[in-house]
Structures are given as C-alpha cells and as structure tokens.
Amino acid sequence: MGYNVVVVGATGNVGREMLNILAERLFPVDKIAVLASRKSLGTEVSFGDKTLKTTDLDTFDFTGWDMALFAVGSEATKQYAPLAAKAGCVVIDNSSLYRYDADVPLIVPEVNPEAIHDYAKKNIIANPNCSTAQMVVALKPLHDRARIKRVVVSTYQSVSGAGKEGIDELWDQTKSIYNPTDNKPPRKFTKQIAFNVIPHIDVFMEDGSTKEEWKMVAETKKIIDKSIKVTATCVRVPVFVGHSEAINIEFEDHLDEDEARDILREAPGVMVIDKREDGGYVSPIECVGDFATFISRIRQDSTIDNGLNLWCVSDNLRKGAALNAVQIAELLGREVLKKG
C-alpha cells in the first residue's frame, strides 16, 4: 500500500527533480498527480518510465491525497497550500512562505527529524532555503560534539537557484560574449552574470544584508540552535548547478580537524573528500546529480581558540530543494502516516 502524492509546479526545475527523485528512491507511490498553472497545462513530465500530463492546479481537489510537494512561488503557495492542508493533504512546501512560521516545522531530515511531529498544527511542513540546507547537514554533527558559537559563511551560488530564467541568462550571455552583435543585457540578475560574480541574492534589507543572507541566519537558528550566531555573504556565480560554501566555525570546545573529519565521515547525508593534493576536493560540477553534501578542505583556524574551516558543496536542485522535500515525505510516511 502506497501514498497518493501530488507534485505542484511539476513543470519547473525543482518540480521535475522531485519527480525524478521520487522515482529514483522508489518512494511508495500508489497514485500521483502532477499540477501546473494554466499556461503549462497539458505539458508532459517524466516519472520513472512513465510520462504524465499536467492538470490544472486551479480546479484540483486535494481531498483523498496524502501529501503534496509544492514547488511554486510564495504567492501561489499562499493561495493553494491552505486549501490542500484543509482537505487533509499534508503540504511539503519548497517556497519561503512558511519557513519562519512558529507553527510550521522547518526540517532537514538528517538534522532535526523529531520536528516532523509538529506538522499537524497547520498540516504544513517547510523546506529550507537551498544554501541553508547543505550547511546545516555539515554543522549539526559538529555542533553535537563541540557546540557551535559562531558561523561565518560565504556562498558561491549557482544560477539554477534563480530558476530556468537564471540558467538561460548565463547561457545566452556566455554565447553573446563571443558574438559582439548579439548583446544580452542583464534581465534576471542585477549585473552581467557571465564571467562575473554578483554579491547580491534576493532583496536588500535595512541593515545592508540581503534577504538570502538573513534566511541563512534565521533558518540555521530554527533548525539547529537559536543560540548560534551566523553571518553570511551570499554571492551568485556563473555556475549552472551546484552551490558551494566556505564556512568558518567557532566552537565552545576544542575540536581538532582529524576528529571533525571522522565525525563528518560518519554523518548522514555527508561525503568527505578531503585530500591535500591537486584535485583532492569537490567542486560544484562534480556534485551534480548526487544526493550527498560534500565536505572538503577541513582545517584548523589558527586565528581563534576553537575554530575550523571547511568547504561545502551540494547540488542545490537536489539537497537544496527536491531531495530534501522527498526525504521529508519519506520521514512523514515512516514516522507519522505509516502506509508505505
């Protein structure tokens, strides 16, 4: 006996990836519905060896469906997620709409699986921001051992984090550099992204940080520990898929690099590739299509008493979005619904 599953926003990058991962991980699906807006109605998407046609989100009845994976923006989620939840269908939402709601659990299954039991307050579970998801997978096992006081993170985020428009803009601008008659000015991004980096993701806030940076702070506190201090600088780079992060961690207790490496090797969802030689680390192009969060460049920070540096890379469409949502669905089934 399997689950009746809905994927909302099935024609987008994350929605398609959700379908791929549900099939890859042999999620126990009894019945599946793929929904899209009217402009994408009838578009075909793949689910394993099947081809499915999208139906209209506007007129869909969520009654009798077990869970809905939402991969649409906050506006559409605000309209349709409460309808699904009211109909008894548990919503797993990839947008930012519910992440900071005290009555909605924000979950990374390797980090805070116990939070799944709080879903019933609104029948909604939130998926974290892509840059936060991979970072907390790395931080949690280290926090359990030595208590993290402060995190300084600089991100190198791929254009797929901005959706298909971001991918298209990098592709088109890169080609236009070599064709002087084909100028492609910035549309999705605030400056040229081809052969450039942009220290600006999401809107600016009053204190000078961007909302992407604020998300990393607020979400890390909600998922791991509210006492952890976090400061972030989030940067868009000309990479199609895969977010990278340089993370500096200050602990309450001493933790040497060798023990940290051993802890991370045993941590769920983590793969350590850390050789001090040419190519002995993971770059974003190598993590595409993989489920793991990769950790490299683990080393002591000699400028503080209890400090470590590390490099963290993950496929943002997977662990940062679709994979984490499917892992939440698996956790929900295993711990709560118990049908599969």
Side-chain angles (χ1 to χ4, degrees), residues 13 159-160 163-172 189 240-241:
N13 289 338
V159 294
S160 57
K164 184 178 182 297
E165 291 173 317
I167 294 173
D168 289 346
E169 187 154 312
L170 174 57
W171 176 247
D172 291 339
F189 302 115
F240 285 111
V241 178

Side-chain angles (χ1 to χ4, degrees), residues 108-136:
V108 176
E110 298 95 334
V111 177
N112 61 335
E114 68 286 347
I116 196 74
H117 298 285
D118 296 330
Y119 84 97
K121 292 176 183 176
K122 285 193 174 178
N123 233 21
I124 297 171
I125 302 164
N127 213 24
N129 186 43
C130 50
S131 51
T132 307
Q134 69 187 70
M135 184 172 76
V136 297

Side-chain angles (χ1 to χ4, degrees), residues 46-334:
S46 297
F47 174 59
D49 57 2
K50 298 176 183 175
T51 300
L52 308 174
K53 275 192 176 181
T54 55
T55 54
D56 189 5
L57 172 58
D58 246 350
T59 57
F60 188 78
D61 184 359
F62 287 91
T63 305
W65 293 84
D66 295 305
M67 57 183 80
L69 280 62
F70 270 65
V72 291
S74 293
E75 284 304 309
T77 300
K78 188 176 183 179
Q79 182 177 350
Y80 297 104
L83 298 177
K86 190 176 180 182
C89 177
V90 182
V91 171
I92 300 170
D93 175 34
N94 193 59
S95 81
S96 62
L97 183 64
Y98 292 105
R99 289 176 189 159
Y100 317 106
D101 187 324
D103 291 331
V104 174
L106 179 66
I107 296 178
V108 176
E110 298 95 334
V111 177
N112 61 335
E114 68 286 347
I116 196 74
H117 298 285
D118 296 330
Y119 84 97
K121 292 176 183 176
K122 285 193 174 178
N123 233 21
I124 297 171
I125 302 164
N127 213 24
N129 186 43
C130 50
S131 51
T132 307
Q134 69 187 70
M135 184 172 76
V136 297
V137 168
L139 294 183
K140 181 58 162 60
L142 301 178
H143 181 66
D144 288 345
R145 162 60 182 82
R147 304 291 299 173
I148 293 171
K149 289 171 61 177
R150 181 172 184 256
V151 174
V152 181
V153 57
S154 298
T155 72
Y156 307 75
Q157 294 178 228
S158 66
V159 294
S160 57
K164 184 178 182 297
E165 291 173 317
I167 294 173
D168 289 346
E169 187 154 312
L170 174 57
W171 176 247
D172 291 339
Q173 279 186 357
T174 301
K175 289 188 296 181
S176 75
I177 298 293
Y178 297 99
N179 182 0
T181 64
D182 182 27
N183 183 42
K184 296 290 183 183
R187 294 169 63 90
K188 181 65 178 177
F189 302 115
T190 55
K191 291 180 182 281
Q192 176 185 308
I193 185 61
F195 304 97
N196 197 18
V197 298
I198 305 171
H200 175 193
I201 301 176
D202 213 323
V203 297
F204 275 98
M205 304 182 76
E206 283 187 12
D207 67 354
S209 61
T210 65
K211 195 168 183 184
E212 185 81 359
E213 292 156 358
W214 175 84
K215 288 174 189 174
M216 292 193 77
V217 176
E219 292 174 22
T220 301
K221 288 175 175 289
K222 184 172 179 179
I223 294 168
I224 299 182
D225 189 330
K226 64 183 179 182
S227 68
I228 295 175
K229 295 178 180 179
V230 182
T231 182
T233 300
C234 294
V235 182
R236 190 73 72 189
V237 297
V239 170
F240 285 111
V241 178
H243 286 358
S244 305
E245 297 170 350
I247 308 173
N248 176 266
I249 312 164
E250 183 181 0
F251 298 92
E252 289 184 9
D253 302 320
H254 179 71
L255 176 62
D256 71 52
E257 61 190 43
D258 292 327
E259 186 181 356
R261 200 173 287 110
D262 290 341
I263 289 169
L264 289 168
R265 282 199 177 107
E266 298 298 318
V270 172
M271 181 75 70
V272 175
I273 308 290
D274 189 19
K275 296 179 181 178
R276 293 176 177 180
E277 60 188 43
D278 292 352
Y281 41 81
V282 174
S283 61
I285 202 167
E286 296 161 284
C287 78
V288 175
D290 208 297
F291 289 139
T293 294
F294 292 90
I295 307 297
S296 307
R297 303 291 320 281
I298 303 165
R299 62 206 188 278
Q300 227 75 48
D301 177 2
S302 61
T303 67
I304 51 177
D305 287 340
N306 301 312
L308 283 177
N309 289 299
L310 56 83
W311 175 251
C312 176
V313 178
S314 191
D315 182 331
N316 56 293
L317 297 179
R318 290 207 153 205
K319 186 55 193 168
L323 170 62
N324 201 72
V326 173
Q327 288 177 302
I328 291 171
E330 292 169 343
L331 181 65
L332 180 70
R334 189 168 62 247

